[in-house]
């Protein structure tokens, strides 16, 4: 990682520890984020998770070699309020990102701050050229969130899963380095 | 009953296939990856990977050598990965250069698709390629796949920035192209809608 700090005035991204299991279990089992928990692919994204499930998730995140998952800490409370992942399993040229904020802490601007830190890290400290995100087509708030940040939809993967009696799609969104830099008014680290 | 097409048979992987698989992996034209790999893969590495495979009823991937019926030669391999049972999988195809332009790849693709839709009951099959591989795009389109997503400049290969292409073929689209096969598996969504 580069010299940038993984924190803002209100929050910090930090490594996840086994002691985080209870906080993690609490918000991962909140029905409001069913299907958008962004947990490892070996864990289904819908059922309530036991402590051993959550420990397995933490262990899997800890083994990531081509990317990382960090916890989102709210400074005011000292509580874990979410997690964020960058991964480049295919190629560091085109990493993907995901951000999950506990439902009780949403709409407070934490997600935007986290995403800004991740994108700055990838574009300023790694060879990333195109950053992608995968969002379920029913997840309107995440789609709006990504669009507001400058991500653009670049297509859809049909029949990604079933939800409430219908198929949904995965919406792919992308952000090119040069478009981000332009939107930022140039490379701020230069 | 083997997975048999007009020109090819798809069979289980064997130890003796690994030499060809290493050769295909070391050829930049047949690596079939969105990034280039060093041409340093050995037969021994592939044998080790092959021998590490264990028996399971919960397989989520398979790699099937393509046997050219006329000559008995291995013409490449076709695979599926990321199987979500009864829902989806992604396929990949590598054809050895001597078999390019012989329709062996298309026959292998159609043979695997029949297995995925008629035996595994999938609702959709995906594949990933890039804009610098028009041969792969054309072959997929011949089976009914269409590009559903284009991630700009996500691939750098052969000195060029290329777009990643996601292509998909739904069950409905597959059976519409193959009226000779009847689809007797109800769609759960149609059942709920009373269709």
């Amino acid at each position: 990682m580069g010299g940038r700090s993984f924190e803002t005035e209100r929050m910090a991204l930090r490594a996840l520890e086994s002691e985080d299991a209870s906080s993690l279990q609490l918000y991962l089992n909140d029905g409001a984020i069913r299907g958008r928990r962004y947990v490892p692919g070996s864990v289904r994204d819908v059922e309530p998770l036991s402590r051993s499930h959550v420990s397995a998730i933490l262990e899997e995140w800890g083994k990531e070699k081509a990317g990382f998952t960090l916890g989102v800490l709210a400074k005011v409370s000292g509580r874990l309020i979410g997690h964020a992942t960058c991964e480049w399993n295919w190629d560091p040229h085109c990493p993907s990102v995901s951000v999950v904020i506990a439902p009780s802490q949403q709409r407070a601007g934490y997600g935007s701050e986290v995403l800004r830190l991740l994108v700055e890290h990838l574009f300023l400290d790694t060879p990333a050229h195109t950053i992608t995100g995968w969002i379920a087509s029913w997840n309107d708030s995440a789609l709006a969130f990504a669009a507001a940040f400058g991500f653009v939809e670049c297509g859809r993967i049909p029949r990604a899963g079933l939800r409430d009696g219908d198929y949904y799609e995965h919406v792919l969104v992308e952000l090119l380095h040069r478009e981000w830099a332009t939107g930022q008014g140039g490379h701020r680290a230069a | 009953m083997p997975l048999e097409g007009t020109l090819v048979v798809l069979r289980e992987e064997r130890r003796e296939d690994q030499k060809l698989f290493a050769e295909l992996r070391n050829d930049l034209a047949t690596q079939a990856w969105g990034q280039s790999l060093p041409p340093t893969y050995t037969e021994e590495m592939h044998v080790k990977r092959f021998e590490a495979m264990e028996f399971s009823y919960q397989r989520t991937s398979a790699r099937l050598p393509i046997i050219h019926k006329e000559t008995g030669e291995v013409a490449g391999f076709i695979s599926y990965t990321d199987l979500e049972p009864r829902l989806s999988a992604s396929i990949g195809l590598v054809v050895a250069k001597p078999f390019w332009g012989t329709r062996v790849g298309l026959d292998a693709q159609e043979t695997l698709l029949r297995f995925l839709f008629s035996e595994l009951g999938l609702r959709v099959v995906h594949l990933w390629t890039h804009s610098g591989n028009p041969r792969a795009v054309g072959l997929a389109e011949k089976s009914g796949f269409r590009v559903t997503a284009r991630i700009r400049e996500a691939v750098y290969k052969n000195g060029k920035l290329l777009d990643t292409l996601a292509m998909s073929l739904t069950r409905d689209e597959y059976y519409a192209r193959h009226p000779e096969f009847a689809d007797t598996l109800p769609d759960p969504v149609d059942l709920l809608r009373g269709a």
Side-chain angles (χ1 to χ4, degrees), chain A residues 90 93-94 129-130 154-159 166-167 174 178-179, chain B residues 34-35 123 126 148-154 168 172 187 189 192-193:
Chain A
W90 187 250
H93 179 83
C94 53
H129 181 80
T130 306
C154 56
R156 294 179 174 229
I157 307 297
R159 301 198 175 184
D166 205 354
Y167 293 111
E174 63 177 12
R178 64 171 175 275
E179 292 174 354
Chain B
Q35 59 173 328
R123 296 288 157 192
H126 308 295
T148 62
R150 174 184 288 268
I151 308 172
R152 289 174 299 158
E153 301 179 14
S168 295
D172 308 341
D187 187 312
V189 172
L192 287 163
R193 288 177 179 155

PDB file of all heavy atoms in Angstrom, chain A residues 90 93-94 129-130 154-159 166-167 174 178-179, chain B residues 34-35 123 126 148-154 168 172 187 189 192-193:
ATOM      1  N   TRP A  90      -7.801 -11.423 -11.126  1.00  0.00           N
ATOM      2  CA  TRP A  90      -7.519 -11.624 -12.535  1.00  0.00           C
ATOM      3  C   TRP A  90      -6.270 -10.864 -12.941  1.00  0.00           C
ATOM      4  O   TRP A  90      -5.373 -11.406 -13.549  1.00  0.00           O
ATOM      5  CB  TRP A  90      -8.748 -11.177 -13.345  1.00  0.00           C
ATOM      6  CG  TRP A  90      -8.630 -11.492 -14.790  1.00  0.00           C
ATOM      7  CD1 TRP A  90      -8.456 -10.619 -15.813  1.00  0.00           C
ATOM      8  CD2 TRP A  90      -8.683 -12.787 -15.389  1.00  0.00           C
ATOM      9  NE1 TRP A  90      -8.381 -11.289 -17.001  1.00  0.00           N
ATOM     10  CE2 TRP A  90      -8.526 -12.621 -16.770  1.00  0.00           C
ATOM     11  CE3 TRP A  90      -8.843 -14.087 -14.881  1.00  0.00           C
ATOM     12  CZ2 TRP A  90      -8.515 -13.685 -17.667  1.00  0.00           C
ATOM     13  CZ3 TRP A  90      -8.833 -15.142 -15.774  1.00  0.00           C
ATOM     14  CH2 TRP A  90      -8.674 -14.939 -17.151  1.00  0.00           C
ATOM     15  N   HIS A  93      -4.396  -4.748 -13.248  1.00  0.00           N
ATOM     16  CA  HIS A  93      -4.797  -3.741 -14.236  1.00  0.00           C
ATOM     17  C   HIS A  93      -6.282  -3.398 -14.087  1.00  0.00           C
ATOM     18  O   HIS A  93      -6.696  -2.281 -14.394  1.00  0.00           O
ATOM     19  CB  HIS A  93      -4.517  -4.324 -15.627  1.00  0.00           C
ATOM     20  CG  HIS A  93      -4.886  -3.462 -16.775  1.00  0.00           C
ATOM     21  ND1 HIS A  93      -4.069  -2.460 -17.253  1.00  0.00           N
ATOM     22  CD2 HIS A  93      -5.986  -3.436 -17.557  1.00  0.00           C
ATOM     23  CE1 HIS A  93      -4.646  -1.865 -18.278  1.00  0.00           C
ATOM     24  NE2 HIS A  93      -5.810  -2.433 -18.484  1.00  0.00           N
ATOM     25  N   CYS A  94      -7.078  -4.359 -13.647  1.00  0.00           N
ATOM     26  CA  CYS A  94      -8.535  -4.128 -13.566  1.00  0.00           C
ATOM     27  C   CYS A  94      -9.105  -4.704 -12.259  1.00  0.00           C
ATOM     28  O   CYS A  94      -9.820  -5.714 -12.284  1.00  0.00           O
ATOM     29  CB  CYS A  94      -9.252  -4.704 -14.769  1.00  0.00           C
ATOM     30  SG  CYS A  94      -8.888  -6.428 -15.073  1.00  0.00           S
ATOM     31  N   HIS A 129      -5.948   0.416 -13.936  1.00  0.00           N
ATOM     32  CA  HIS A 129      -6.335   1.235 -15.100  1.00  0.00           C
ATOM     33  C   HIS A 129      -7.854   1.378 -15.177  1.00  0.00           C
ATOM     34  O   HIS A 129      -8.372   2.420 -15.532  1.00  0.00           O
ATOM     35  CB  HIS A 129      -5.812   0.576 -16.376  1.00  0.00           C
ATOM     36  CG  HIS A 129      -6.136   1.331 -17.623  1.00  0.00           C
ATOM     37  ND1 HIS A 129      -5.416   2.437 -18.026  1.00  0.00           N
ATOM     38  CD2 HIS A 129      -7.103   1.161 -18.552  1.00  0.00           C
ATOM     39  CE1 HIS A 129      -5.928   2.912 -19.157  1.00  0.00           C
ATOM     40  NE2 HIS A 129      -6.955   2.155 -19.493  1.00  0.00           N
ATOM     41  N   THR A 130      -8.556   0.303 -14.867  1.00  0.00           N
ATOM     42  CA  THR A 130     -10.020   0.299 -14.874  1.00  0.00           C
ATOM     43  C   THR A 130     -10.490  -0.366 -13.581  1.00  0.00           C
ATOM     44  O   THR A 130     -10.081  -1.488 -13.294  1.00  0.00           O
ATOM     45  CB  THR A 130     -10.565  -0.539 -16.056  1.00  0.00           C
ATOM     46  OG1 THR A 130      -9.993  -0.061 -17.267  1.00  0.00           O
ATOM     47  CG2 THR A 130     -12.078  -0.459 -16.138  1.00  0.00           C
ATOM     48  N   CYS A 154     -21.534  -0.628 -17.592  1.00  0.00           N
ATOM     49  CA  CYS A 154     -20.932  -1.100 -18.846  1.00  0.00           C
ATOM     50  C   CYS A 154     -21.557  -2.414 -19.291  1.00  0.00           C
ATOM     51  O   CYS A 154     -21.068  -3.050 -20.219  1.00  0.00           O
ATOM     52  CB  CYS A 154     -19.429  -1.236 -18.697  1.00  0.00           C
ATOM     53  SG  CYS A 154     -18.895  -2.288 -17.353  1.00  0.00           S
ATOM     54  N   GLY A 155     -22.633  -2.820 -18.673  1.00  0.00           N
ATOM     55  CA  GLY A 155     -23.333  -4.009 -19.126  1.00  0.00           C
ATOM     56  C   GLY A 155     -23.911  -4.786 -17.961  1.00  0.00           C
ATOM     57  O   GLY A 155     -23.817  -4.358 -16.804  1.00  0.00           O
ATOM     58  N   ARG A 156     -24.518  -5.915 -18.321  1.00  0.00           N
ATOM     59  CA  ARG A 156     -25.212  -6.722 -17.311  1.00  0.00           C
ATOM     60  C   ARG A 156     -24.960  -8.203 -17.538  1.00  0.00           C
ATOM     61  O   ARG A 156     -24.810  -8.640 -18.676  1.00  0.00           O
ATOM     62  CB  ARG A 156     -26.720  -6.442 -17.356  1.00  0.00           C
ATOM     63  CG  ARG A 156     -27.020  -5.014 -16.924  1.00  0.00           C
ATOM     64  CD  ARG A 156     -28.484  -4.690 -16.966  1.00  0.00           C
ATOM     65  NE  ARG A 156     -28.682  -3.355 -16.394  1.00  0.00           N
ATOM     66  CZ  ARG A 156     -29.573  -3.042 -15.473  1.00  0.00           C
ATOM     67  NH1 ARG A 156     -30.414  -3.958 -15.021  1.00  0.00           N
ATOM     68  NH2 ARG A 156     -29.673  -1.827 -15.000  1.00  0.00           N
ATOM     69  N   ILE A 157     -24.940  -8.962 -16.466  1.00  0.00           N
ATOM     70  CA  ILE A 157     -24.832 -10.416 -16.533  1.00  0.00           C
ATOM     71  C   ILE A 157     -26.215 -10.964 -16.179  1.00  0.00           C
ATOM     72  O   ILE A 157     -26.668 -10.810 -15.037  1.00  0.00           O
ATOM     73  CB  ILE A 157     -23.793 -10.956 -15.517  1.00  0.00           C
ATOM     74  CG1 ILE A 157     -22.454 -10.236 -15.702  1.00  0.00           C
ATOM     75  CG2 ILE A 157     -23.644 -12.457 -15.657  1.00  0.00           C
ATOM     76  CD1 ILE A 157     -21.794 -10.443 -17.030  1.00  0.00           C
ATOM     77  N   PRO A 158     -26.902 -11.568 -17.162  1.00  0.00           N
ATOM     78  CA  PRO A 158     -28.283 -11.994 -16.904  1.00  0.00           C
ATOM     79  C   PRO A 158     -28.377 -13.184 -15.958  1.00  0.00           C
ATOM     80  O   PRO A 158     -27.458 -13.975 -15.838  1.00  0.00           O
ATOM     81  CB  PRO A 158     -28.791 -12.369 -18.300  1.00  0.00           C
ATOM     82  CG  PRO A 158     -27.574 -12.741 -19.069  1.00  0.00           C
ATOM     83  CD  PRO A 158     -26.457 -11.891 -18.525  1.00  0.00           C
ATOM     84  N   ARG A 159     -29.531 -13.281 -15.331  1.00  0.00           N
ATOM     85  CA  ARG A 159     -29.865 -14.417 -14.453  1.00  0.00           C
ATOM     86  C   ARG A 159     -28.760 -14.706 -13.436  1.00  0.00           C
ATOM     87  O   ARG A 159     -28.296 -15.839 -13.294  1.00  0.00           O
ATOM     88  CB  ARG A 159     -30.181 -15.656 -15.287  1.00  0.00           C
ATOM     89  CG  ARG A 159     -31.340 -15.356 -16.220  1.00  0.00           C
ATOM     90  CD  ARG A 159     -32.024 -16.539 -16.776  1.00  0.00           C
ATOM     91  NE  ARG A 159     -33.182 -16.070 -17.554  1.00  0.00           N
ATOM     92  CZ  ARG A 159     -34.061 -16.843 -18.134  1.00  0.00           C
ATOM     93  NH1 ARG A 159     -33.941 -18.137 -18.047  1.00  0.00           N
ATOM     94  NH2 ARG A 159     -35.078 -16.339 -18.790  1.00  0.00           N
ATOM     95  N   ASP A 166     -38.166 -13.677  -8.876  1.00  0.00           N
ATOM     96  CA  ASP A 166     -37.770 -13.231 -10.216  1.00  0.00           C
ATOM     97  C   ASP A 166     -36.246 -13.326 -10.347  1.00  0.00           C
ATOM     98  O   ASP A 166     -35.533 -13.331  -9.341  1.00  0.00           O
ATOM     99  CB  ASP A 166     -38.226 -11.784 -10.454  1.00  0.00           C
ATOM    100  CG  ASP A 166     -38.414 -11.484 -11.935  1.00  0.00           C
ATOM    101  OD1 ASP A 166     -38.072 -12.359 -12.772  1.00  0.00           O
ATOM    102  OD2 ASP A 166     -38.919 -10.397 -12.251  1.00  0.00           O
ATOM    103  N   TYR A 167     -35.807 -13.407 -11.583  1.00  0.00           N
ATOM    104  CA  TYR A 167     -34.366 -13.361 -11.806  1.00  0.00           C
ATOM    105  C   TYR A 167     -33.879 -11.933 -11.648  1.00  0.00           C
ATOM    106  O   TYR A 167     -34.597 -10.986 -11.976  1.00  0.00           O
ATOM    107  CB  TYR A 167     -34.021 -13.838 -13.226  1.00  0.00           C
ATOM    108  CG  TYR A 167     -34.306 -15.285 -13.477  1.00  0.00           C
ATOM    109  CD1 TYR A 167     -35.336 -15.671 -14.330  1.00  0.00           C
ATOM    110  CD2 TYR A 167     -33.554 -16.285 -12.863  1.00  0.00           C
ATOM    111  CE1 TYR A 167     -35.613 -17.021 -14.569  1.00  0.00           C
ATOM    112  CE2 TYR A 167     -33.826 -17.630 -13.093  1.00  0.00           C
ATOM    113  CZ  TYR A 167     -34.846 -17.979 -13.941  1.00  0.00           C
ATOM    114  OH  TYR A 167     -35.117 -19.307 -14.163  1.00  0.00           O
ATOM    115  N   GLU A 174     -17.992   0.539 -14.213  1.00  0.00           N
ATOM    116  CA  GLU A 174     -16.550   0.726 -14.405  1.00  0.00           C
ATOM    117  C   GLU A 174     -16.174   2.182 -14.194  1.00  0.00           C
ATOM    118  O   GLU A 174     -17.005   3.090 -14.345  1.00  0.00           O
ATOM    119  CB  GLU A 174     -16.153   0.317 -15.833  1.00  0.00           C
ATOM    120  CG  GLU A 174     -16.821   1.208 -16.855  1.00  0.00           C
ATOM    121  CD  GLU A 174     -16.458   0.948 -18.311  1.00  0.00           C
ATOM    122  OE1 GLU A 174     -15.845  -0.075 -18.607  1.00  0.00           O
ATOM    123  OE2 GLU A 174     -16.819   1.808 -19.137  1.00  0.00           O
ATOM    124  N   ARG A 178      -8.286   7.646 -16.324  1.00  0.00           N
ATOM    125  CA  ARG A 178      -8.207   9.002 -16.893  1.00  0.00           C
ATOM    126  C   ARG A 178      -9.500   9.786 -16.654  1.00  0.00           C
ATOM    127  O   ARG A 178      -9.473  10.992 -16.462  1.00  0.00           O
ATOM    128  CB  ARG A 178      -7.863   8.958 -18.377  1.00  0.00           C
ATOM    129  CG  ARG A 178      -8.894   8.304 -19.268  1.00  0.00           C
ATOM    130  CD  ARG A 178      -8.589   8.486 -20.754  1.00  0.00           C
ATOM    131  NE  ARG A 178      -9.519   7.756 -21.572  1.00  0.00           N
ATOM    132  CZ  ARG A 178      -9.370   6.473 -21.876  1.00  0.00           C
ATOM    133  NH1 ARG A 178      -8.321   5.808 -21.444  1.00  0.00           N
ATOM    134  NH2 ARG A 178     -10.283   5.846 -22.598  1.00  0.00           N
ATOM    135  N   GLU A 179     -10.625   9.074 -16.653  1.00  0.00           N
ATOM    136  CA  GLU A 179     -11.896   9.772 -16.411  1.00  0.00           C
ATOM    137  C   GLU A 179     -12.006  10.196 -14.948  1.00  0.00           C
ATOM    138  O   GLU A 179     -12.522  11.265 -14.639  1.00  0.00           O
ATOM    139  CB  GLU A 179     -13.070   8.878 -16.833  1.00  0.00           C
ATOM    140  CG  GLU A 179     -13.098   8.677 -18.341  1.00  0.00           C
ATOM    141  CD  GLU A 179     -14.148   7.692 -18.812  1.00  0.00           C
ATOM    142  OE1 GLU A 179     -14.809   7.054 -17.966  1.00  0.00           O
ATOM    143  OE2 GLU A 179     -14.299   7.544 -20.040  1.00  0.00           O
TER     144      GLU A 179
ATOM    145  N   GLY B  34      -6.986 -13.245 -20.283  1.00  0.00           N
ATOM    146  CA  GLY B  34      -7.065 -11.811 -20.509  1.00  0.00           C
ATOM    147  C   GLY B  34      -5.749 -11.128 -20.220  1.00  0.00           C
ATOM    148  O   GLY B  34      -5.619  -9.924 -20.345  1.00  0.00           O
ATOM    149  N   GLN B  35      -4.761 -11.894 -19.807  1.00  0.00           N
ATOM    150  CA  GLN B  35      -3.417 -11.346 -19.624  1.00  0.00           C
ATOM    151  C   GLN B  35      -2.445 -12.433 -20.068  1.00  0.00           C
ATOM    152  O   GLN B  35      -2.776 -13.614 -20.050  1.00  0.00           O
ATOM    153  CB  GLN B  35      -3.175 -10.968 -18.172  1.00  0.00           C
ATOM    154  CG  GLN B  35      -3.335 -12.134 -17.218  1.00  0.00           C
ATOM    155  CD  GLN B  35      -2.918 -11.775 -15.798  1.00  0.00           C
ATOM    156  OE1 GLN B  35      -2.029 -10.969 -15.605  1.00  0.00           O
ATOM    157  NE2 GLN B  35      -3.597 -12.361 -14.835  1.00  0.00           N
ATOM    158  N   ARG B 123     -29.862 -22.319 -16.227  1.00  0.00           N
ATOM    159  CA  ARG B 123     -30.718 -21.246 -16.759  1.00  0.00           C
ATOM    160  C   ARG B 123     -29.946 -20.293 -17.660  1.00  0.00           C
ATOM    161  O   ARG B 123     -30.543 -19.548 -18.429  1.00  0.00           O
ATOM    162  CB  ARG B 123     -31.331 -20.447 -15.597  1.00  0.00           C
ATOM    163  CG  ARG B 123     -32.264 -21.268 -14.740  1.00  0.00           C
ATOM    164  CD  ARG B 123     -33.553 -21.548 -15.478  1.00  0.00           C
ATOM    165  NE  ARG B 123     -34.215 -22.733 -14.923  1.00  0.00           N
ATOM    166  CZ  ARG B 123     -35.225 -23.333 -15.515  1.00  0.00           C
ATOM    167  NH1 ARG B 123     -35.699 -22.900 -16.657  1.00  0.00           N
ATOM    168  NH2 ARG B 123     -35.762 -24.397 -14.975  1.00  0.00           N
ATOM    169  N   HIS B 126     -22.456 -18.471 -19.324  1.00  0.00           N
ATOM    170  CA  HIS B 126     -21.676 -17.262 -19.626  1.00  0.00           C
ATOM    171  C   HIS B 126     -20.318 -17.640 -20.216  1.00  0.00           C
ATOM    172  O   HIS B 126     -19.836 -18.767 -20.048  1.00  0.00           O
ATOM    173  CB  HIS B 126     -21.398 -16.471 -18.340  1.00  0.00           C
ATOM    174  CG  HIS B 126     -22.607 -16.176 -17.515  1.00  0.00           C
ATOM    175  ND1 HIS B 126     -23.633 -15.370 -17.950  1.00  0.00           N
ATOM    176  CD2 HIS B 126     -22.967 -16.600 -16.269  1.00  0.00           C
ATOM    177  CE1 HIS B 126     -24.557 -15.290 -16.995  1.00  0.00           C
ATOM    178  NE2 HIS B 126     -24.184 -16.030 -15.977  1.00  0.00           N
ATOM    179  N   THR B 148     -23.134  -9.057 -23.434  1.00  0.00           N
ATOM    180  CA  THR B 148     -24.027  -8.369 -22.494  1.00  0.00           C
ATOM    181  C   THR B 148     -23.298  -7.301 -21.685  1.00  0.00           C
ATOM    182  O   THR B 148     -23.930  -6.485 -21.033  1.00  0.00           O
ATOM    183  CB  THR B 148     -24.687  -9.360 -21.511  1.00  0.00           C
ATOM    184  OG1 THR B 148     -23.664  -9.991 -20.746  1.00  0.00           O
ATOM    185  CG2 THR B 148     -25.506 -10.416 -22.250  1.00  0.00           C
ATOM    186  N   ALA B 149     -21.975  -7.339 -21.711  1.00  0.00           N
ATOM    187  CA  ALA B 149     -21.220  -6.302 -20.994  1.00  0.00           C
ATOM    188  C   ALA B 149     -19.868  -6.113 -21.666  1.00  0.00           C
ATOM    189  O   ALA B 149     -19.283  -7.073 -22.189  1.00  0.00           O
ATOM    190  CB  ALA B 149     -21.026  -6.682 -19.529  1.00  0.00           C
ATOM    191  N   ARG B 150     -19.416  -4.882 -21.669  1.00  0.00           N
ATOM    192  CA  ARG B 150     -18.116  -4.533 -22.253  1.00  0.00           C
ATOM    193  C   ARG B 150     -17.403  -3.613 -21.266  1.00  0.00           C
ATOM    194  O   ARG B 150     -17.823  -2.471 -21.070  1.00  0.00           O
ATOM    195  CB  ARG B 150     -18.318  -3.817 -23.595  1.00  0.00           C
ATOM    196  CG  ARG B 150     -17.032  -3.286 -24.230  1.00  0.00           C
ATOM    197  CD  ARG B 150     -17.352  -2.515 -25.511  1.00  0.00           C
ATOM    198  NE  ARG B 150     -17.765  -3.405 -26.578  1.00  0.00           N
ATOM    199  CZ  ARG B 150     -16.939  -3.938 -27.481  1.00  0.00           C
ATOM    200  NH1 ARG B 150     -15.655  -3.633 -27.458  1.00  0.00           N
ATOM    201  NH2 ARG B 150     -17.399  -4.738 -28.405  1.00  0.00           N
ATOM    202  N   ILE B 151     -16.382  -4.134 -20.626  1.00  0.00           N
ATOM    203  CA  ILE B 151     -15.614  -3.328 -19.673  1.00  0.00           C
ATOM    204  C   ILE B 151     -14.432  -2.727 -20.431  1.00  0.00           C
ATOM    205  O   ILE B 151     -13.553  -3.460 -20.908  1.00  0.00           O
ATOM    206  CB  ILE B 151     -15.098  -4.180 -18.500  1.00  0.00           C
ATOM    207  CG1 ILE B 151     -16.254  -4.965 -17.864  1.00  0.00           C
ATOM    208  CG2 ILE B 151     -14.426  -3.295 -17.459  1.00  0.00           C
ATOM    209  CD1 ILE B 151     -15.811  -5.983 -16.824  1.00  0.00           C
ATOM    210  N   ARG B 152     -14.459  -1.415 -20.552  1.00  0.00           N
ATOM    211  CA  ARG B 152     -13.472  -0.750 -21.401  1.00  0.00           C
ATOM    212  C   ARG B 152     -12.044  -0.892 -20.861  1.00  0.00           C
ATOM    213  O   ARG B 152     -11.804  -0.716 -19.664  1.00  0.00           O
ATOM    214  CB  ARG B 152     -13.802   0.740 -21.530  1.00  0.00           C
ATOM    215  CG  ARG B 152     -15.032   1.048 -22.359  1.00  0.00           C
ATOM    216  CD  ARG B 152     -15.344   2.533 -22.304  1.00  0.00           C
ATOM    217  NE  ARG B 152     -15.609   2.949 -20.929  1.00  0.00           N
ATOM    218  CZ  ARG B 152     -15.493   4.212 -20.503  1.00  0.00           C
ATOM    219  NH1 ARG B 152     -15.113   5.165 -21.338  1.00  0.00           N
ATOM    220  NH2 ARG B 152     -15.756   4.517 -19.246  1.00  0.00           N
ATOM    221  N   GLU B 153     -11.140  -1.226 -21.780  1.00  0.00           N
ATOM    222  CA  GLU B 153      -9.696  -1.197 -21.514  1.00  0.00           C
ATOM    223  C   GLU B 153      -9.295  -2.014 -20.280  1.00  0.00           C
ATOM    224  O   GLU B 153      -8.346  -1.673 -19.594  1.00  0.00           O
ATOM    225  CB  GLU B 153      -9.222   0.256 -21.375  1.00  0.00           C
ATOM    226  CG  GLU B 153      -9.507   1.092 -22.613  1.00  0.00           C
ATOM    227  CD  GLU B 153      -9.069   2.539 -22.480  1.00  0.00           C
ATOM    228  OE1 GLU B 153      -8.312   2.858 -21.545  1.00  0.00           O
ATOM    229  OE2 GLU B 153      -9.494   3.358 -23.317  1.00  0.00           O
ATOM    230  N   ALA B 154     -10.019  -3.069 -20.018  1.00  0.00           N
ATOM    231  CA  ALA B 154      -9.737  -3.871 -18.819  1.00  0.00           C
ATOM    232  C   ALA B 154      -8.657  -4.917 -19.069  1.00  0.00           C
ATOM    233  O   ALA B 154      -8.223  -5.597 -18.143  1.00  0.00           O
ATOM    234  CB  ALA B 154     -11.014  -4.541 -18.327  1.00  0.00           C
ATOM    235  N   SER B 168     -23.382 -14.050 -22.872  1.00  0.00           N
ATOM    236  CA  SER B 168     -24.297 -14.966 -22.181  1.00  0.00           C
ATOM    237  C   SER B 168     -25.272 -15.591 -23.164  1.00  0.00           C
ATOM    238  O   SER B 168     -25.592 -15.022 -24.211  1.00  0.00           O
ATOM    239  CB  SER B 168     -25.100 -14.219 -21.102  1.00  0.00           C
ATOM    240  OG  SER B 168     -24.243 -13.752 -20.081  1.00  0.00           O
ATOM    241  N   ASP B 172     -33.751 -20.026 -22.436  1.00  0.00           N
ATOM    242  CA  ASP B 172     -34.802 -19.747 -23.433  1.00  0.00           C
ATOM    243  C   ASP B 172     -34.193 -19.585 -24.819  1.00  0.00           C
ATOM    244  O   ASP B 172     -34.702 -20.096 -25.812  1.00  0.00           O
ATOM    245  CB  ASP B 172     -35.557 -18.444 -23.104  1.00  0.00           C
ATOM    246  CG  ASP B 172     -36.066 -18.426 -21.690  1.00  0.00           C
ATOM    247  OD1 ASP B 172     -36.171 -19.506 -21.097  1.00  0.00           O
ATOM    248  OD2 ASP B 172     -36.355 -17.329 -21.191  1.00  0.00           O
ATOM    249  N   ASP B 187     -39.642 -23.352 -15.759  1.00  0.00           N
ATOM    250  CA  ASP B 187     -38.893 -22.208 -15.225  1.00  0.00           C
ATOM    251  C   ASP B 187     -39.567 -21.774 -13.922  1.00  0.00           C
ATOM    252  O   ASP B 187     -40.767 -21.501 -13.906  1.00  0.00           O
ATOM    253  CB  ASP B 187     -38.930 -21.057 -16.248  1.00  0.00           C
ATOM    254  CG  ASP B 187     -38.027 -19.907 -15.832  1.00  0.00           C
ATOM    255  OD1 ASP B 187     -38.103 -19.484 -14.660  1.00  0.00           O
ATOM    256  OD2 ASP B 187     -37.247 -19.430 -16.672  1.00  0.00           O
ATOM    257  N   VAL B 189     -39.610 -19.075 -12.324  1.00  0.00           N
ATOM    258  CA  VAL B 189     -40.214 -17.737 -12.393  1.00  0.00           C
ATOM    259  C   VAL B 189     -41.528 -17.798 -13.167  1.00  0.00           C
ATOM    260  O   VAL B 189     -42.534 -17.186 -12.775  1.00  0.00           O
ATOM    261  CB  VAL B 189     -39.225 -16.734 -13.024  1.00  0.00           C
ATOM    262  CG1 VAL B 189     -39.894 -15.389 -13.274  1.00  0.00           C
ATOM    263  CG2 VAL B 189     -38.012 -16.563 -12.121  1.00  0.00           C
ATOM    264  N   LEU B 192     -44.270 -19.159 -10.996  1.00  0.00           N
ATOM    265  CA  LEU B 192     -44.806 -18.164 -10.056  1.00  0.00           C
ATOM    266  C   LEU B 192     -45.729 -17.169 -10.749  1.00  0.00           C
ATOM    267  O   LEU B 192     -46.658 -16.647 -10.151  1.00  0.00           O
ATOM    268  CB  LEU B 192     -43.639 -17.415  -9.383  1.00  0.00           C
ATOM    269  CG  LEU B 192     -42.872 -18.242  -8.348  1.00  0.00           C
ATOM    270  CD1 LEU B 192     -41.530 -17.609  -8.053  1.00  0.00           C
ATOM    271  CD2 LEU B 192     -43.689 -18.389  -7.076  1.00  0.00           C
ATOM    272  N   ARG B 193     -45.429 -16.905 -12.021  1.00  0.00           N
ATOM    273  CA  ARG B 193     -46.251 -15.945 -12.769  1.00  0.00           C
ATOM    274  C   ARG B 193     -47.492 -16.612 -13.360  1.00  0.00           C
ATOM    275  O   ARG B 193     -48.297 -15.941 -13.994  1.00  0.00           O
ATOM    276  CB  ARG B 193     -45.436 -15.335 -13.905  1.00  0.00           C
ATOM    277  CG  ARG B 193     -44.376 -14.356 -13.425  1.00  0.00           C
ATOM    278  CD  ARG B 193     -43.588 -13.864 -14.600  1.00  0.00           C
ATOM    279  NE  ARG B 193     -42.581 -12.900 -14.173  1.00  0.00           N
ATOM    280  CZ  ARG B 193     -41.465 -12.641 -14.823  1.00  0.00           C
ATOM    281  NH1 ARG B 193     -41.217 -13.263 -15.957  1.00  0.00           N
ATOM    282  NH2 ARG B 193     -40.607 -11.755 -14.392  1.00  0.00           N
TER     283      ARG B 193
END
